[in-house]
Amino acid sequence: MKTIKPHSRIQRALYSTVLASSLLALSTQGALAADNDKPQYRLVQLQADATREVTNNQMEAILFTELNNNSPSSLSQDVTRILNEAMRQAAKYPQVKVSTGAQSTYPVYDDKNKLKGWRARAQIELKSTDFKATSDLIAALQNNMQVQSINFSVSDDERKRVENELMVEASQAFQQRARLLQQSWQASGYELVSLDLNAMNNERPPIMYAMKARDTSGAMESQNVQGGNSQLRVNASGSVQLR
């Protein structure tokens, strides 16, 4: 590499300034690299939890109909009639959100592997925070449909509200443990290096619905239900650097 020699006094001054800046930058980069390579001492991993029992305020149910017919078109009409009637019944309960679920039609064969008919299955799904209205609707729908399962859970709005509070509690518990370690190790303080907050929920499994006997009028009696509780938990895990 050819070195360009400055000829004037101003050029020599500029050359010296640039050279000094370059050397300082190289020195600073070397120092930073050396600091990054240093092992991290007194780095402590911590965990803390915040939990709360929350009343399940949402009820979800799945009802189904399963029919057989020799004619697939007639079978489809029968299923459509039952679903339409279910939707008409559900319209009387605006507190309950109703949606159609899975539907399937498949052939049925005899022992000689010959087609003997068709079978169809269709579902509707109910969701509401009004347990009484949902139970009454389930009772009305059981004239033509059967209950597959009922599940109780915490609604999305309530879950978010509680989890936000638990995040604060878990963070405070994490800081309290950090302060205890600081005192135990006689450190002058600590710095937060990393922190992860994770929501962990423990909900009840789906409950199978026990059908009650019909009364003398032929109507299905609605059932008094209890949603129980779910345990919501937020875990705080991370590390701190003791000073």
Side-chain angles (χ1 to χ4, degrees), residues 29-75:
Q29 292 175 0
L32 290 174
D35 288 340
N36 292 334
D37 291 338
K38 288 181 180 179
Q40 296 294 315
Y41 295 110
R42 307 183 79 174
L43 187 67
V44 183
Q45 303 291 330
L46 291 177
Q47 286 197 43
D49 291 334
T51 60
R52 188 179 303 177
E53 288 284 332
V54 182
T55 301
N56 290 325
N57 66 333
Q58 182 170 267
M59 181 177 179
E60 301 176 29
I62 297 177
L63 291 90
F64 72 95
T65 182
E66 193 167 77
L67 302 174
N68 295 287
N69 200 303
N70 293 330
S71 168
S73 60
S74 298
L75 182 61

Side-chain angles (χ1 to χ4, degrees), residues 18 33 39 68 83 86 111 134 153 175 191 231:
V18 172
N68 295 287
L83 290 180
D111 296 339
T134 307
S153 61
Q175 294 175 62
E191 294 179 1
Q231 186 182 74

Side-chain angles (χ1 to χ4, degrees), residues 59 61 63-65 81-93 96 98 124 126 131-147 150 209 211-215 217-223:
M59 181 177 179
L63 291 90
F64 72 95
T65 182
R81 175 182 53 81
I82 291 176
L83 290 180
N84 288 343
E85 176 62 23
M87 290 302 175
R88 282 191 290 269
Q89 290 282 347
K92 302 176 184 178
Y93 301 86
V96 183
V98 184
I124 63 170
L126 313 180
F131 289 5
K132 179 63 168 60
T134 307
S135 295
D136 290 346
L137 177 55
I138 289 173
L141 293 176
Q142 286 188 80
N143 288 324
N144 295 311
M145 306 190 78
Q146 302 178 55
V147 176
I150 291 180
Y209 192 87
M211 294 178 60
K212 287 193 171 185
R214 298 177 186 272
D215 61 21
S217 65
M220 182 70 70
E221 181 184 355
S222 64
Q223 183 177 15

Side-chain angles (χ1 to χ4, degrees), residues 23-24 42 78 86 115 120 136 146 154 173 178 213 216 222 234 239 241:
L23 292 175
L24 179 59
R42 307 183 79 174
D78 292 340
L115 180 67
D136 290 346
Q146 302 178 55
V154 181
T216 55
S222 64
V234 171
S239 58
Q241 182 83 44

Side-chain angles (χ1 to χ4, degrees), residues 172-188:
Q172 293 172 344
F174 184 92
Q175 294 175 62
Q176 183 180 10
R177 288 192 170 185
R179 287 192 293 269
L180 288 174
L181 285 174
Q182 172 193 334
Q183 297 171 5
S184 175
W185 287 90
Q186 298 179 351
S188 60

